[in-house]
Amino acid sequence: MTDRANSADSGAGSAIRVLLADDEEMIRYSVRLILQHTDGIEVVAEAANGAGAVRLAAEHRPDVVLLDIRMPILDGLAAVETLVALDPAPQVVMLTTFGDEENVLGALRAGATGFLLKDERPQELISAVRAAAAGDAVLSPGVTGIVVRRMLRGGGAGGVAASPDSRVAGLTDREREVLVMLGEGLSNQEIGRRLGIGVGTVKTHVRSILAKTECGSRVQAALLAHQAGLMG
C-alpha cells in the first residue's frame, strides 16, 4: 500500500479538501467512493500510515483529515499532534473501529476535532466532513457516551489542572452563552441563528472561549460547560 495524491487535487477551490489515512486499502476505497460522489467535497490525497498523512497534509493542505488510529510506522494518535500543529492546521477526525475510552480521550487530548466509528452510515460520514470543515465538533453517539461517562467520573478530555469555575471566570456574558450552546452540541450556524449573529462572529467567540479557557477543541469546551455547571 502506498501513499498517493488524487487527481481531484486540481478541483474547484470552494470544495472541502479531504485527506484519507488508513492502512486498509478497501476502507480508503470505500470512503473515497462515498466522498467523491458528494457535491462540494474532494479527496485530494490518501496515505497508508500516519507518517504519510503528515507529509501529504503539509503538501496538499487539506481542510479535513480522516485518520485511522492503528496504522504502521506512525499511528493516528501520534500523527494528530503533528497535523494540528501545521499552519494552516486541518481539522482532524478520527475514523476507526476502535471506540474504547483510551483511544477516544487520547485523540481528543491530542487535538482531534472529532471521532467517528467506521460502521457509521455514509450520510453520517458526509455530514461529519462538512461539520468538521465548518469548525464544529463531531462525535459518534457511542463515543459521546464514553466522553460523558468519563466527565461524570471527574476526568475531562483535556489535561488542564485549573478548576472549571476558574477557567470560565474570565468569559464575557455572550461568551458564556456561546459556551452553553457548545455544551448543547450546537453547530456554529445553529448558535448564530439562536443569537441572531453571523457565523463569523460565532467563530470569533469560539476562538476567544478556547483561548481563555485553555481548551484544545470545541469538544473540550463543551465538556467544560457541563463541568462548570453552566448547563442548568
Side-chain angles (χ1 to χ4, degrees):
M1 293 176 290
T2 59
D3 303 336
R4 71 186 184 92
N6 296 325
S7 59
D9 193 27
S10 59
S14 60
I16 299 170
R17 297 163 56 80
V18 177
L19 185 153
L20 307 178
D22 197 298
D23 62 333
E24 295 186 47
E25 187 172 0
M26 183 59 71
I27 295 294
R28 297 201 310 274
Y29 173 81
S30 299
V31 173
R32 182 175 72 250
L33 196 62
I34 292 169
L35 296 182
Q36 286 187 332
H37 286 82
T38 302
D39 290 340
I41 298 177
E42 60 177 348
V43 178
V44 299
E46 299 173 34
N49 55 67
V54 170
R55 177 178 58 81
L56 290 173
E59 180 180 350
H60 295 280
R61 299 179 182 271
D63 301 303
V64 177
V65 176
L66 294 177
L67 190 66
D68 189 20
I69 287 183
R70 298 186 180 178
M71 293 185 290
I73 303 178
L74 184 70
D75 69 22
L77 292 179
V80 173
E81 296 183 4
T82 303
L83 288 168
V84 299
L86 295 175
D87 186 16
Q91 301 293 327
V92 180
V93 177
M94 312 306 292
L95 183 62
T96 181
T97 56
F98 304 102
D100 59 274
E101 182 175 294
E102 181 180 358
N103 284 326
V104 172
L105 297 177
L108 298 180
R109 288 191 189 102
T113 301
F115 201 108
L116 285 179
L117 301 181
K118 289 179 179 177
D119 59 1
E120 294 287 348
R121 295 175 301 170
Q123 188 56 50
E124 295 299 326
L125 173 64
I126 294 167
S127 297
V129 169
R130 288 175 171 159
D136 292 333
V138 180
L139 290 177
S140 291
V143 170
T144 302
I146 290 173
V147 175
V148 171
R149 286 193 296 273
R150 177 61 176 265
M151 178 192 72
L152 292 176
R153 294 204 304 270
V160 180
S163 70
D165 287 345
S166 66
R167 291 169 64 191
V168 302
L171 299 180
T172 65
D173 290 342
R174 177 47 60 90
E175 288 169 348
R176 282 175 175 261
E177 286 184 284
V178 173
L179 180 58
V180 168
M181 293 177 197
L182 291 177
E184 295 174 0
L186 300 186
S187 68
N188 288 341
Q189 289 184 335
E190 290 168 332
I191 294 172
R193 284 195 295 269
R194 183 177 292 188
L195 295 178
I197 59 179
V199 171
T201 302
V202 175
K203 290 181 178 180
T204 298
H205 286 314
V206 172
R207 284 195 296 269
S208 179
I209 290 167
L210 296 183
K212 289 181 178 180
T213 62
E214 299 183 29
C215 288
S217 69
R218 292 170 65 100
V219 175
Q220 293 180 12
L223 291 174
L224 177 62
H226 289 269
Q227 292 171 320
L230 301 182
M231 303 306 297

